[in-house]
Amino acid sequence: MSKKINLEFNKNEDGMKLLLSDMKKKLAIIEKGGGDKALAKQKEKGKMSPRERIEYLIDKDSNFVEMMAFAGYEMYKEHGGCPAGGTVAGIGYIKGRQCIIVANDQTVKAGAWFPITGKKNLRLQEMSIENKLPIIYLVDSAGVYLPMQDEIFPDKEHFGRIFRNNARMSSMGITQIAAVMGSCVAGGAYLPIMSDETLMVEENGSIFLAGPYLAKAAIGEDVDLQTLGGAVTHTEISGIADYKFKTEKECLDQIKRIIDKIGKPQDAGFDRIKPAMPVKDMQEIFGLVSAQNNKPYDIVEVIERIVDDSVFDQFKKDYGKTIVCGYGRVDGWAVGIVANQRTIVKSGKKEMQLGGVIYNDSADKAARFIMNCNQKKIPLVFLQDVTGFMVGSRSEHSGIIKDGAKLVNAVSNSVVPKITIIIGNSYGAGNYAMCGKAYDPRFIYAWPNGKIAVMGGEQAAKVLLQIQVAALKSKGETITPEKEKEMLDHIIAKYAEQTTAYYAAARLWIDAIIDPMDTRKVISEGIAAANHAPIEKEMNVGVFQV
């Protein structure tokens, strides 16, 4: 390794590790939920935190992939914030069985549902449906957050969709278990009762459509919380709940016993052999990719630090080089990988870096490879670092739109599971072609350096600046170079904030921001989840331009 390359590697490594350290600091704050005082109040009531409940429930030393921890990040500031969307959730193992676990965080506004809470819960139900995974609800919620009820209650993808999903999931044979460990109020009361089995913790757990205050206001009845809807009431009088327990641990133990007896599902038959670690040092992944997403690198070197034995068989290696396609294994699972390649193009004496630009030939190659993987029933992994499709008269005359449409068609109609990792930029139509959120990846993650936007910040800022300057000039205003620079700097700063992985994660455009070292783990767990759901149809691409 030359000194120049070594220096570049060290800069990349330092930059990426700084980003990772910053991410972990942010997560540490999020994991406190509503803060130390709120957690202390939970303890006084004999209640565990949502993270403690999950930790007790899952198998010791098993993988737990937390989902959407950054949901709501830096949103709802005028309401005091909503860390993790007021819900701790992810995919974990209970008695060896992979499950979705959803735990309300009572320390965040009494577990009330913000708009992002509803969106997060719907995404978790979607994961359960797509992968046919049992789902466990650890309920401790005050219901809809009333100051924002208009943004969570009435629309199609709002609160009520949760209960529709409960009913649909039940008809699909997907196991749903609800453990009521705190409040379960109003419309939220339907969730545990629409689950297969309902468990309650005495003294703390309660279920009712209207609480004591509303009962007094509506019909003049004086009744205490436990008499109205406590565990004894619902297991001995109404028959709504199936089990009651003195402690939360006893309740969680019963969930383990229920899961332990569920029949084994039919699997999709995705190929897996004995896992092997990459031969190349996985830690070197930090030094390969620039933290600023502005330096060329060989994506094959990254792939060889993810796949088993560092063995990657390229498809059409010497054709369409700005997308790399090929077969490998991740933790034993057979995968097809579609990845963007940063390239350096020479034009006379001038060199130009193209950050994962998609050309006609690379779009054609990737579309063909996706169809091959569908025919062979091989799950697909997309590694995104893309700035879009090549522009200019030469590309337009060659039919770049037509070839791009073929790739988008193939991605849209693919029936094998798709897992997307944003390892750099994710811009414009490149986001679509490389299986962005709109194209139903089974799971989608980003490294801390990930950026998602309609175009790069510098290009977007210049376009926006031209529009603003033209508007001001039309009003007769004079724009000095200093004023223009000030406007540009403001636009760049605002645009940059809206392109970060955190901005995307807060709004659930991605399922999680991950440590690059966890890339193998999330791919493996994603395919393990998808393997619970047999593929029920063949790929059909319909009509497209040739």
Side-chain angles (χ1 to χ4, degrees), residues 289-290 293-297 299 322 338-342 353-358 382-388 421-427 430 434 449 451:
V289 181
S290 161
N293 303 343
N294 60 359
K295 300 287 173 60
Y297 61 92
I299 188 61
T322 62
V338 181
N340 303 112
Q341 179 71 284
R342 284 183 173 267
Q353 184 196 156
L354 296 176
V357 173
I358 303 173
F382 291 83
L383 300 178
Q384 280 199 16
D385 187 357
V386 58
T387 51
I421 318 281
I422 298 168
I423 68 170
N425 297 323
S426 178
Y427 292 161
M434 291 294 293
N449 59 309
K451 295 191 186 312

Side-chain angles (χ1 to χ4, degrees), residues 44-265:
E44 288 171 12
K45 297 176 184 176
K47 297 170 76 172
M48 302 161 76
S49 73
R51 293 180 186 279
E52 288 171 336
R53 289 167 178 167
I54 291 172
E55 186 179 0
Y56 184 82
L57 185 60
I58 61 175
D59 298 343
K60 191 176 179 182
D61 299 324
S62 65
N63 282 336
F64 178 72
V65 179
E66 183 169 353
M67 296 291 180
M68 297 166 276
F70 283 98
Y73 178 70
E74 294 196 332
M75 294 169 67
Y76 313 120
K77 290 179 182 178
E78 67 277 22
H79 297 277
C82 186
T87 308
V88 181
I91 298 179
Y93 289 85
I94 302 172
K95 291 294 183 178
R97 184 67 175 263
Q98 206 177 28
C99 300
I100 302 280
I101 305 169
V102 187
N104 298 123
D105 190 346
Q106 204 272 341
T107 71
V108 179
K109 292 286 192 295
W113 288 53
F114 281 68
I116 202 68
T117 315
K119 189 173 182 181
K120 180 172 178 175
N121 277 263
L122 287 170
R123 173 63 178 143
L124 291 158
Q125 286 185 319
E126 182 180 50
M127 290 178 180
S128 174
I129 292 166
E130 286 186 329
N131 301 292
K132 292 186 167 53
L133 294 179
I135 186 166
I136 316 299
Y137 306 101
L138 305 181
V139 184
D140 195 344
S141 171
V144 166
Y145 183 61
L146 290 178
M148 301 187 75
Q149 64 86 25
D150 61 319
E151 296 182 46
I152 179 61
F153 172 67
D155 209 348
K156 181 178 178 180
E157 298 296 331
H158 283 179
F159 192 61
R161 191 79 173 186
I162 303 288
F163 317 125
R164 177 186 183 275
N165 284 350
N166 288 144
R168 296 293 300 276
M169 291 161 76
S170 184
S171 72
M172 295 172 190
I174 296 171
T175 297
Q176 300 175 83
I177 299 169
V180 181
M181 300 174 145
S183 297
C184 186
V185 183
Y190 288 106
L191 184 144
I193 313 312
M194 296 185 77
S195 298
D196 300 343
E197 300 191 55
T198 305
L199 300 74
M200 294 187 72
V201 177
E202 293 183 47
E203 299 303 321
N204 284 328
S206 59
I207 305 172
F208 38 68
L209 291 179
Y213 293 122
L214 189 52
K216 175 70 174 174
I219 61 172
E221 181 182 13
D222 285 306
V223 61
D224 67 86
L225 187 145
Q226 286 299 312
T227 302
L228 181 65
V232 172
T233 293
H234 286 314
T235 55
E236 298 181 16
I237 301 172
S238 73
I240 279 174
D242 305 307
Y243 312 87
K244 67 177 186 289
F245 303 93
K246 297 285 186 188
T247 69
E248 291 193 359
K249 287 187 177 180
E250 291 173 345
C251 182
L252 295 169
D253 285 336
Q254 179 63 20
I255 293 175
K256 295 178 187 182
R257 289 192 288 271
I258 294 170
I259 294 294
D260 194 35
K261 296 175 180 64
I262 297 175
K264 294 294 181 286

Side-chain angles (χ1 to χ4, degrees), residues 312-320 323-327 337 364-370 372 376:
F312 178 59
D313 298 319
Q314 283 201 56
F315 173 79
K316 292 185 182 289
K317 179 180 178 180
D318 299 316
Y319 180 76
I323 292 185
V324 168
C325 301
Y327 303 101
I337 297 174
D364 269 342
K365 178 174 84 170
R368 173 69 179 272
F369 181 73
I370 289 167
N372 279 352
K376 297 177 177 69

Side-chain angles (χ1 to χ4, degrees), residues 484-506:
E484 192 168 310
K485 184 180 184 305
E486 182 186 327
M487 290 170 64
L488 181 63
D489 290 344
H490 177 75
I491 293 168
I492 288 174
K494 185 177 180 182
Y495 195 86
E497 180 188 335
Q498 294 176 351
T499 64
T500 67
Y502 297 105
Y503 194 88

Side-chain angles (χ1 to χ4, degrees), residues 363-524:
D364 269 342
K365 178 174 84 170
R368 173 69 179 272
F369 181 73
I370 289 167
M371 289 190 281
N372 279 352
C373 287
N374 273 267
Q375 189 173 51
K376 297 177 177 69
K377 299 294 183 283
I378 298 173
L380 284 158
V381 174
F382 291 83
L383 300 178
Q384 280 199 16
D385 187 357
V386 58
T387 51
F389 286 87
M390 191 59 191
V391 298
S393 61
R394 184 174 176 183
S395 290
E396 296 292 357
H397 296 171
S398 299
I400 188 66
I401 299 173
K402 174 185 68 177
D403 293 325
K406 288 181 197 173
L407 178 52
V408 170
N409 192 314
V411 171
S412 302
N413 288 297
S414 174
V415 297
V416 296
K418 303 176 296 241
I419 297 171
T420 299
I421 318 281
I422 298 168
I423 68 170
N425 297 323
S426 178
Y427 292 161
N431 169 282
Y432 303 158
M434 291 294 293
C435 198
K437 178 75 175 195
Y439 290 79
D440 292 333
R442 201 65 67 94
F443 301 98
I444 179 168
Y445 302 97
W447 288 1
N449 59 309
K451 295 191 186 312
I452 303 174
V454 71
M455 64 176 71
E458 190 177 336
Q459 300 96 308
K462 286 177 179 177
V463 171
L464 290 167
L465 178 66
Q466 288 172 14
I467 294 168
Q468 289 185 20
V469 167
L472 291 171
K473 284 182 177 179
S474 71
K475 295 175 182 177
E477 294 188 33
T478 302
I479 308 299
T480 64
E482 292 76 19
K483 176 66 175 174
E484 192 168 310
K485 184 180 184 305
E486 182 186 327
M487 290 170 64
L488 181 63
D489 290 344
H490 177 75
I491 293 168
I492 288 174
K494 185 177 180 182
Y495 195 86
E497 180 188 335
Q498 294 176 351
T499 64
T500 67
Y502 297 105
Y503 194 88
R507 290 153 183 81
L508 308 191
W509 302 345
I510 55 175
D511 294 323
I513 305 172
I514 63 168
D515 181 339
M517 289 291 289
D518 286 337
T519 303
R520 273 175 59 86
K521 181 177 82 171
V522 299
I523 292 171
S524 176

